[in-house]
């Protein structure tokens, strides 16, 4: 995922934080994970163990969001890492009372079109920002699966209630809820590529 030679400052987890050679080996294996295996085996999960996600894994998930492609490279999004149990309860209410929003790790990806310094109308900048936030969340979701976690993507949200809970003026794109799964689910069958792809 990261080049030791070109950008050592982007290595996650930071080397000095690793407590043993075994831990370092495990994280090195994650960095070398086959992306196609991650994509093929990821499943949405609504039941998480009551177990805290390690800081190093959170850092790697957020680092993945930071690598996502964005319009003009301006990164028109912000991520709220929700630790407050009170705010999580408010987010459950804001997400159509879906209880699994109160997960061990909750990340809210918000649009920030003001970061997109391009000469386009506001509606286009908003679209770019939505796409930026969505891609960042997707990268985080795949990274989480590679790290042995599961997640659920929350799209049914009351934007105003989320903004009120986070005390922000930034509009949320999605809530990503993550944790250790109670049971690892098998991937569901998808459409065949013949049905999915339209050659014109």
């Amino acid at each position: 995922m990261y080049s030791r030679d070109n950008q050592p400052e982007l290595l996650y987890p930071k080397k000095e934080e690793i407590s043993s050679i075994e831990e370092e080996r495990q994280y090195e294996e994650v960095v070398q994970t086959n992306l196609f295996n991650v994509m093929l085996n990821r499943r949405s999960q609504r039941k998480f163990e009551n177990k805290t996600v390690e800081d190093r894994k959170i850092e790697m998930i957020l680092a993945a969001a930071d690598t996502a492609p964005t319009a003009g490279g301006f990164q028109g999004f912000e991520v709220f890492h929700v630790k407050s149990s009170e705010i999580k309860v408010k987010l459950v209410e804001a997400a159509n009372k879906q209880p699994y929003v109160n997960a061990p790790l909750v990340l809210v990806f918000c649009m920030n079109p003001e970061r997109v310094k391009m000469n386009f109308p506001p509606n286009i900048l908003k679209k770019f920002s939505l796409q930026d936030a969505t891609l960042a969340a997707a990268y985080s979701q795949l990274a989480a699966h590679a790290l042995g976690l599961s997640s659920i993507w929350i799209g049914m949200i009351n934007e105003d209630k989320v903004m009120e809970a986070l005390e922000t003026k930034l509009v949320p794109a999605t809530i990503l809820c993550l944790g250790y799964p109670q049971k690892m689910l098998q991937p569901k069958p998808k459409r065949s590529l013949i049905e999915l792809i339209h050659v014109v």
Side-chain angles (χ1 to χ4, degrees):
M1 184 182 296
Y2 304 106
S3 169
R4 289 184 182 276
D5 299 326
N6 297 334
Q7 292 181 310
E9 72 277 7
L10 292 181
L11 278 172
Y12 295 89
K14 293 183 175 64
K15 207 168 182 63
E16 63 270 17
E17 295 178 356
I18 297 176
S19 60
S20 70
I21 294 176
E22 177 61 22
E23 283 184 88
E24 182 176 359
R25 185 189 64 78
Q26 290 174 355
Y27 282 102
E28 187 64 30
E29 286 179 0
V30 170
V31 171
Q32 302 300 327
T33 298
N34 184 305
L35 178 60
F36 285 95
N37 286 337
V38 173
M39 292 187 294
L40 287 169
N41 290 295
R42 189 208 59 79
R43 273 288 307 276
S44 295
Q45 174 66 253
R46 293 170 175 81
K47 295 182 179 180
F48 302 104
E49 290 185 5
N50 184 21
K51 179 180 177 181
T52 301
V53 178
E54 297 87 341
D55 288 342
R56 285 192 289 275
K57 291 190 176 184
I58 296 173
E59 187 177 16
M60 293 178 79
I61 290 166
L62 295 174
D66 192 44
T67 68
T70 60
F74 288 109
Q75 295 186 300
F77 69 96
E78 310 290 338
V79 185
F80 287 81
H81 176 191
V82 181
K83 295 184 177 182
S84 166
S85 57
E86 291 82 6
I87 294 178
K88 287 183 180 181
V89 170
K90 292 180 180 179
L91 291 178
V92 169
E93 179 67 26
N96 200 35
K97 299 183 179 180
Q98 299 176 79
Y100 33 85
V101 173
N102 193 353
L105 174 59
V106 176
L107 303 175
V108 183
F109 292 79
C110 292
M111 299 178 278
N112 188 359
E114 291 186 2
R115 285 188 54 86
V116 186
K117 307 300 182 183
M118 303 174 78
N119 188 23
F120 291 107
N123 64 311
I124 299 299
L125 297 181
K126 183 178 179 181
K127 178 188 286 188
F128 287 164
S129 185
L130 174 61
Q131 293 169 344
D132 289 357
T134 302
L135 280 165
Y139 272 46
S140 293
Q141 189 172 44
L142 292 175
H145 184 79
L147 289 163
L149 303 170
S150 289
S151 62
I152 181 70
W153 182 290
I154 307 296
M156 184 181 288
I157 55 176
N158 182 311
E159 295 176 353
D160 291 334
K161 288 185 177 180
V162 173
M163 294 164 68
E164 182 180 351
L166 298 177
E167 298 182 356
T168 182
K169 294 182 180 179
L170 300 177
V171 178
T174 187
I175 302 175
L176 192 60
C177 306
L178 310 103
Y180 285 97
Q182 290 185 6
K183 179 182 180 182
M184 189 61 76
L185 304 175
Q186 296 300 313
K188 289 183 178 179
K190 303 291 185 180
R191 284 188 289 172
S192 70
L193 291 181
I194 293 176
E195 297 176 351
L196 176 66
I197 307 302
H198 303 274
V199 180
V200 296

